[in-house]
Amino acid sequence: MNFVKMLAVSAAAIAGLMPLSAWAQSFTIKDVAGRDVSFDKPVERVILGEGRMLYAVAPIEKEDPFAKIVGWRNDLWTTDKDGFNAYVERFPKGKDLPFLGNLTDGTLQTETVVKLHPDVLLLPIGNKTAADEVKLEDMLAGIGVKIVYIDFREHILANTEPSLKILGKLFGHEDRAEAVAAYWKEQMARVTDRLKAANPPKPNVFMYRAAGLVECCGTFGPDNFGLMVDWAGGHNLGSDFLPGYTGSINAEQVVASNPEVIVITGSNWSQTKNAKDYVNVGPNAAPTLGDSRKALNTLMENPAFTGSKAVAGGNVHAIWHQFYTSPYQFVAVQQLAKWFHPNLFADLDPDATFKEFHEKFLPVAYQPGYWVDAKAGQ
């Protein structure tokens, strides 16, 4: 018997030993790193290499987002305490899941990963360099754990829809992933189509990234919130100076740029070490928006901002930082558009949009408070 026939016979023998249902349940996905990752059975045990991936898993696995999650990084707790609380109050098992460290700062405990026996470790694309350096893929492959990369942060136009569809396939709800992606495009078009038709002048916008965590003046380049500013009909000043999606520019450059609109990103960072003077906006922040407004106005006392057109014109705002790492960017774009072009988008209600999204796709109730203006009544 020649070699080719031997292979054919061996394959047939293996197939005969493997139930047809197992063949039917095998699948392959292409992750956002361009890697083909194959599974021979449905995924049952998942580790979230970033806790905020829960924002994307929740609309896919609506009945219980934690049903297949066996461990997660603690960043949802540290960067969005109110969002964390909303989910663990609804699904108490989330509170008992083990926290893992961060691959990029060397605190990820591979021993814990092994003990949890996951089928897949989901990582943000920004972790790939660190994973390659420590040969994490080879290490985990030896115990049958696959790595899959997704991205809602670094290249949001290219990777948001593919990442949703990857999750849909991994969690066995491809129809839901398609529905969320369709809703994303529909809601984005409510802004982009109107801007295309009206073609209004674009205000110069400075995005102050993670104020209270990042010194002045952290901002965004031509992706992430920088791209959201463009989609909303503004000109993102950070894109003039930064090649990547985040970085910092000096205060003198902000003064020279003289932004017409300033938007800072905030969240409930009460569990983050050394966080101070931040603006708490996000889920359930509505009752304390008065305090958030005071914090926002205090930040504007920095000499980088005091003489700006934005401060003089009262066009200063804060928005939930976590829009930058979730598939909810369409909500941020709608709110930014209202700030940049209030007359053109007078009829647009981002609160209603996000409330509808919660009702359609998410297992937790909508709790407003995702943005605030420096001056009341804006």
Side-chain angles (χ1 to χ4, degrees):
M1 185 180 297
N2 64 34
F3 183 66
V4 174
K5 286 184 178 179
M6 286 177 63
L7 283 179
V9 170
S10 299
I14 292 169
L17 294 172
M18 187 176 292
L20 288 175
S21 59
W23 287 101
Q25 292 177 333
S26 64
F27 65 96
T28 298
I29 60 101
K30 185 181 289 292
D31 70 8
V32 299
R35 301 159 58 251
D36 288 321
V37 186
S38 296
F39 297 85
D40 57 13
K41 62 182 178 62
V43 167
E44 295 296 336
R45 298 176 66 82
V46 180
I47 290 178
L48 302 184
E50 180 177 87
R52 284 170 290 180
M53 289 176 177
L54 189 68
Y55 301 137
V57 172
I60 305 296
E61 192 84 310
K62 182 177 179 180
E63 288 77 14
D64 180 0
F66 296 105
K68 296 182 180 180
I69 296 172
V70 296
W72 56 340
R73 211 178 96 203
N74 69 342
D75 54 284
L76 184 62
W77 163 252
T78 58
T79 67
D80 184 20
K81 183 185 175 186
D82 292 321
F84 176 91
N85 287 342
Y87 275 95
V88 300
E89 286 170 9
R90 175 73 176 80
F91 303 98
K93 71 176 74 173
K95 192 178 294 186
D96 298 326
L97 290 173
F99 281 146
L100 285 83
N102 187 353
L103 179 62
T104 57
D105 64 12
T107 59
L108 176 68
Q109 311 92 339
T110 53
E111 298 85 355
T112 304
V113 174
V114 172
K115 288 178 182 177
L116 292 173
H117 303 294
D119 299 312
V120 61
L121 169 62
L122 280 171
L123 289 176
I125 190 62
N127 281 190
K128 189 173 187 305
T129 298
D132 290 345
E133 287 174 353
V134 299
K135 301 187 184 305
L136 185 63
E137 185 177 349
D138 293 340
M139 185 189 313
L140 295 182
I143 57 169
V145 180
K146 308 294 178 72
I147 292 176
V148 170
Y149 293 99
I150 58 176
D151 177 36
F152 298 102
R153 181 189 290 119
E154 295 199 10
H155 302 292
I156 60 175
L157 179 59
N159 288 340
T160 292
E161 184 173 355
S163 295
L164 285 169
K165 292 181 178 180
I166 288 166
L167 292 175
K169 207 158 189 177
L170 286 174
F171 285 90
H173 294 295
E174 294 178 72
D175 55 338
R176 295 182 185 177
E178 293 283 355
V180 174
Y183 190 89
W184 189 96
K185 288 186 281 192
E186 172 192 326
Q187 294 301 324
M188 288 289 294
R190 295 178 67 190
V191 172
T192 56
D193 287 356
R194 193 176 300 188
L195 286 169
K196 185 177 180 180
N199 194 27
K202 296 182 177 183
N204 288 322
V205 180
F206 180 71
M207 293 291 306
Y208 185 0
R209 175 176 57 90
L213 292 186
V214 178
E215 293 299 323
C216 185
C217 297
T219 190
F220 297 88
D223 212 310
N224 201 282
F225 257 114
L227 183 54
M228 287 186 254
V229 166
D230 292 342
W231 282 338
H235 171 67
N236 178 53
L237 290 171
S239 301
D240 296 340
F241 308 104
L242 300 175
Y245 80 98
T246 61
S248 295
I249 62 177
N250 59 47
E252 291 76 13
Q253 188 60 68
V254 177
V255 172
S257 298
N258 195 11
E260 299 164 76
V261 184
I262 295 172
V263 181
I264 75 105
T265 67
S267 190
N268 185 343
W269 282 308
S270 59
Q271 305 305 310
T272 300
K273 187 178 180 181
N274 299 323
K276 60 180 181 178
D277 302 326
Y278 59 87
V279 180
N280 182 15
V281 283
N284 203 33
T288 59
L289 286 185
D291 292 335
S292 301
R293 181 173 289 112
K294 289 178 183 176
L296 177 57
N297 280 300
T298 297
L299 286 167
M300 291 303 103
E301 294 172 3
N302 187 305
F305 309 119
T306 51
S308 67
K309 293 178 182 177
V311 171
N315 212 343
V316 175
H317 318 275
I319 197 165
W320 189 45
H321 181 77
Q322 313 308 336
F323 282 123
Y324 102 127
T325 184
S326 71
Y328 311 154
Q329 304 102 335
F330 58 90
V331 183
V333 169
Q334 289 188 5
Q335 185 57 43
L336 291 170
K338 284 186 72 73
W339 286 329
F340 302 164
H341 305 287
N343 294 329
L344 184 61
F345 291 101
D347 62 328
L348 191 60
D349 187 346
D351 253 316
T353 297
F354 210 11
K355 185 173 187 292
E356 180 183 70
F357 183 82
H358 277 68
E359 292 169 350
K360 283 179 176 287
F361 299 107
L362 294 178
V364 295
Y366 182 56
Q367 301 180 83
Y370 288 86
W371 42 79
V372 69
D373 304 300
K375 291 186 177 180
Q378 285 186 305

